[in-house]
Amino acid sequence: MAIENLHNFLHDYFSAHHCTLSSDSDGVLHVQLTEEMDRALMNRPFYWHYIKKIGQPGQPMELTFITNHSKRDNKGEWIHFGSPRLQQITSHLKQNEQHTKLFQKMTNEQKTALFPWLVINMKISYRGKQKRDEMVSIGLQLINGAMQLDMMETLKNIPLQTTISDYCYTISPIIKPKSGYYRIEKVLEGYIHEQSHDWADDSIKTMNEEISLLKHFYRTDDGDRDKEMNKEIEEIKNRYDPYITFEPINGGLIYLAQ
């Protein structure tokens, strides 16, 4: 997925956790953490224990994240798919905020119907000779089945809250969330099917070459040697045999006006 999508993911993540984004341009994001996010990401338990013990408010850290490859040598933290920091962030989401239920904030005084959307943020992992991850955000309207990609981009411009506004009411889903999730998986399968899979072909080629080379060195009728060879072949297959997995990072039901 394009670097801009990773950048937007980070922007949305820190904004949703009430961090101040002092600067955001050209793949460089300056973030002032809150105390909660400092505790979650910066591994400073002794600092916070000491600060609270002496009765001081403490100073959460300010970070600079770089997603633009051409600026990776700038002062800041280079973050990319597969980087430890991104894995830490997705783990934090999975552990603490995997499911949510939100309503569009409405200020009018007319009866307004809110329609249910199933929103899933999914990580697609490509594994083989090379490893790659991408984040995909999809929304499925649970009344008419309409589907929207980059759903988090749309939600960024819609005020949301945990309680329903006055004069609003919800429409009950026609499509059950479980069925909706399967629909999203089918769309992702189609998305993957349409991609070029040269990476997988290259991985299989390398795997077969290494297995052939290994067999060349194990030309023997010794049963014990065959057992050892088969073990090494299995290790090669585990390393190179290509596969793709989906992993939901988080999601929820979002009720939106038509």
Side-chain angles (χ1 to χ4, degrees), residues 41-42 57 61 69 96 105 115 129 138 148 155 166 192 215 235 249:
L41 299 179
M42 301 314 299
M61 294 186 71
H69 188 275
N96 298 280
K105 183 178 181 180
F115 294 80
K129 182 179 178 180
I138 297 183
Q148 182 165 330
L155 294 178
D166 293 339
I192 289 171
K215 288 181 177 180
E235 290 173 353
I249 300 302

Tab-separated table of all heavy atoms in Angstrom, residues 41-42 57 61 69 96 105 115 129 138 148 155 166 192 215 235 249:
chain	number	residue	atom	x	y	z
A	41	LEU	N	3.421	3.582	24.814
A	41	LEU	CA	4.382	3.377	23.727
A	41	LEU	C	5.848	3.562	24.108
A	41	LEU	O	6.727	3.011	23.444
A	41	LEU	CB	4.071	4.337	22.560
A	41	LEU	CG	2.701	4.198	21.894
A	41	LEU	CD1	2.557	5.233	20.789
A	41	LEU	CD2	2.482	2.797	21.342
A	42	MET	N	6.131	4.328	25.159
A	42	MET	CA	7.515	4.747	25.384
A	42	MET	C	8.259	3.934	26.440
A	42	MET	O	9.449	4.161	26.665
A	42	MET	CB	7.561	6.237	25.749
A	42	MET	CG	6.951	7.138	24.675
A	42	MET	SD	7.491	6.753	22.986
A	42	MET	CE	9.243	7.034	23.115
A	57	PRO	N	3.192	16.756	37.372
A	57	PRO	CA	2.365	16.300	36.242
A	57	PRO	C	3.128	15.460	35.223
A	57	PRO	O	2.537	14.664	34.507
A	57	PRO	CB	1.879	17.611	35.618
A	57	PRO	CG	2.923	18.612	35.998
A	57	PRO	CD	3.401	18.211	37.366
A	61	MET	N	6.514	12.587	26.022
A	61	MET	CA	7.518	12.822	24.989
A	61	MET	C	6.891	13.339	23.698
A	61	MET	O	5.716	13.105	23.414
A	61	MET	CB	8.300	11.538	24.715
A	61	MET	CG	9.134	11.077	25.889
A	61	MET	SD	10.178	9.645	25.498
A	61	MET	CE	11.395	10.437	24.424
A	69	HIS	N	10.204	7.849	2.292
A	69	HIS	CA	11.492	7.159	2.154
A	69	HIS	C	12.626	8.121	1.821
A	69	HIS	O	13.763	7.943	2.287
A	69	HIS	CB	11.391	6.082	1.067
A	69	HIS	CG	12.592	5.194	0.981
A	69	HIS	ND1	13.710	5.531	0.244
A	69	HIS	CD2	12.860	3.988	1.553
A	69	HIS	CE1	14.614	4.576	0.362
A	69	HIS	NE2	14.126	3.623	1.146
A	96	ASN	N	-6.271	-3.078	23.178
A	96	ASN	CA	-7.060	-2.105	23.929
A	96	ASN	C	-8.295	-1.586	23.216
A	96	ASN	O	-9.241	-1.164	23.869
A	96	ASN	CB	-6.168	-0.909	24.302
A	96	ASN	CG	-5.012	-1.308	25.182
A	96	ASN	OD1	-5.163	-1.473	26.383
A	96	ASN	ND2	-3.832	-1.463	24.589
A	105	LYS	N	-22.322	12.610	15.139
A	105	LYS	CA	-22.851	13.701	15.958
A	105	LYS	C	-23.717	14.605	15.090
A	105	LYS	O	-23.266	15.128	14.077
A	105	LYS	CB	-21.704	14.494	16.578
A	105	LYS	CG	-22.163	15.602	17.504
A	105	LYS	CD	-20.968	16.319	18.118
A	105	LYS	CE	-21.421	17.420	19.056
A	105	LYS	NZ	-20.253	18.125	19.655
A	115	PHE	N	-27.639	5.107	9.795
A	115	PHE	CA	-27.509	3.802	9.147
A	115	PHE	C	-26.236	3.101	9.619
A	115	PHE	O	-25.181	3.730	9.753
A	115	PHE	CB	-27.503	3.966	7.631
A	115	PHE	CG	-28.805	4.468	7.071
A	115	PHE	CD1	-29.125	5.817	7.128
A	115	PHE	CD2	-29.711	3.586	6.515
A	115	PHE	CE1	-30.332	6.281	6.618
A	115	PHE	CE2	-30.920	4.037	5.997
A	115	PHE	CZ	-31.233	5.388	6.056
A	129	LYS	N	9.925	-15.078	0.274
A	129	LYS	CA	11.318	-14.643	0.249
A	129	LYS	C	11.447	-13.251	0.836
A	129	LYS	O	12.394	-12.930	1.549
A	129	LYS	CB	11.828	-14.669	-1.194
A	129	LYS	CG	13.281	-14.278	-1.356
A	129	LYS	CD	13.684	-14.351	-2.824
A	129	LYS	CE	15.121	-13.921	-3.040
A	129	LYS	NZ	15.498	-13.996	-4.479
A	138	ILE	N	-11.931	-0.717	5.212
A	138	ILE	CA	-13.135	-0.936	4.398
A	138	ILE	C	-14.379	-0.721	5.251
A	138	ILE	O	-14.451	-1.167	6.409
A	138	ILE	CB	-13.162	-2.357	3.808
A	138	ILE	CG1	-11.974	-2.562	2.857
A	138	ILE	CG2	-14.459	-2.615	3.059
A	138	ILE	CD1	-11.968	-3.911	2.171
A	148	GLN	N	-17.197	0.777	0.807
A	148	GLN	CA	-16.317	1.910	0.557
A	148	GLN	C	-14.907	1.600	1.044
A	148	GLN	O	-14.718	1.173	2.189
A	148	GLN	CB	-16.846	3.165	1.260
A	148	GLN	CG	-16.000	4.390	0.989
A	148	GLN	CD	-16.714	5.674	1.386
A	148	GLN	OE1	-17.935	5.750	1.346
A	148	GLN	NE2	-15.948	6.685	1.754
A	155	LEU	N	-14.235	8.864	7.471
A	155	LEU	CA	-14.624	9.119	8.863
A	155	LEU	C	-13.846	10.272	9.478
A	155	LEU	O	-14.297	10.868	10.462
A	155	LEU	CB	-14.414	7.847	9.693
A	155	LEU	CG	-15.307	6.657	9.329
A	155	LEU	CD1	-14.969	5.454	10.191
A	155	LEU	CD2	-16.787	7.027	9.481
A	166	ASP	N	-29.604	13.663	20.186
A	166	ASP	CA	-31.049	13.859	20.307
A	166	ASP	C	-31.683	13.893	18.923
A	166	ASP	O	-31.068	14.352	17.952
A	166	ASP	CB	-31.354	15.165	21.048
A	166	ASP	CG	-30.924	15.113	22.506
A	166	ASP	OD1	-30.783	13.990	23.037
A	166	ASP	OD2	-30.707	16.187	23.096
A	192	ILE	N	-6.611	-9.085	-3.909
A	192	ILE	CA	-5.334	-9.797	-3.965
A	192	ILE	C	-5.207	-10.576	-5.274
A	192	ILE	O	-4.137	-10.623	-5.889
A	192	ILE	CB	-5.201	-10.738	-2.747
A	192	ILE	CG1	-4.988	-9.902	-1.488
A	192	ILE	CG2	-4.061	-11.731	-2.929
A	192	ILE	CD1	-5.063	-10.684	-0.208
A	215	LYS	N	19.622	-31.244	-2.038
A	215	LYS	CA	19.586	-32.663	-2.418
A	215	LYS	C	20.898	-33.094	-3.058
A	215	LYS	O	21.315	-34.244	-2.920
A	215	LYS	CB	18.416	-32.916	-3.361
A	215	LYS	CG	17.052	-32.854	-2.678
A	215	LYS	CD	15.934	-33.129	-3.674
A	215	LYS	CE	14.576	-33.142	-2.971
A	215	LYS	NZ	13.475	-33.400	-3.923
A	235	GLU	N	12.512	-26.743	6.550
A	235	GLU	CA	12.906	-25.400	6.981
A	235	GLU	C	12.956	-24.437	5.802
A	235	GLU	O	12.547	-23.272	5.920
A	235	GLU	CB	14.272	-25.457	7.680
A	235	GLU	CG	14.242	-26.153	9.037
A	235	GLU	CD	15.629	-26.338	9.627
A	235	GLU	OE1	16.617	-26.040	8.909
A	235	GLU	OE2	15.724	-26.770	10.797
A	249	ILE	N	-7.226	-5.672	12.558
A	249	ILE	CA	-6.579	-4.899	13.617
A	249	ILE	C	-7.633	-4.357	14.579
A	249	ILE	O	-7.535	-4.501	15.794
A	249	ILE	CB	-5.750	-3.752	13.024
A	249	ILE	CG1	-4.661	-4.319	12.108
A	249	ILE	CG2	-5.127	-2.906	14.131
A	249	ILE	CD1	-3.715	-5.278	12.785
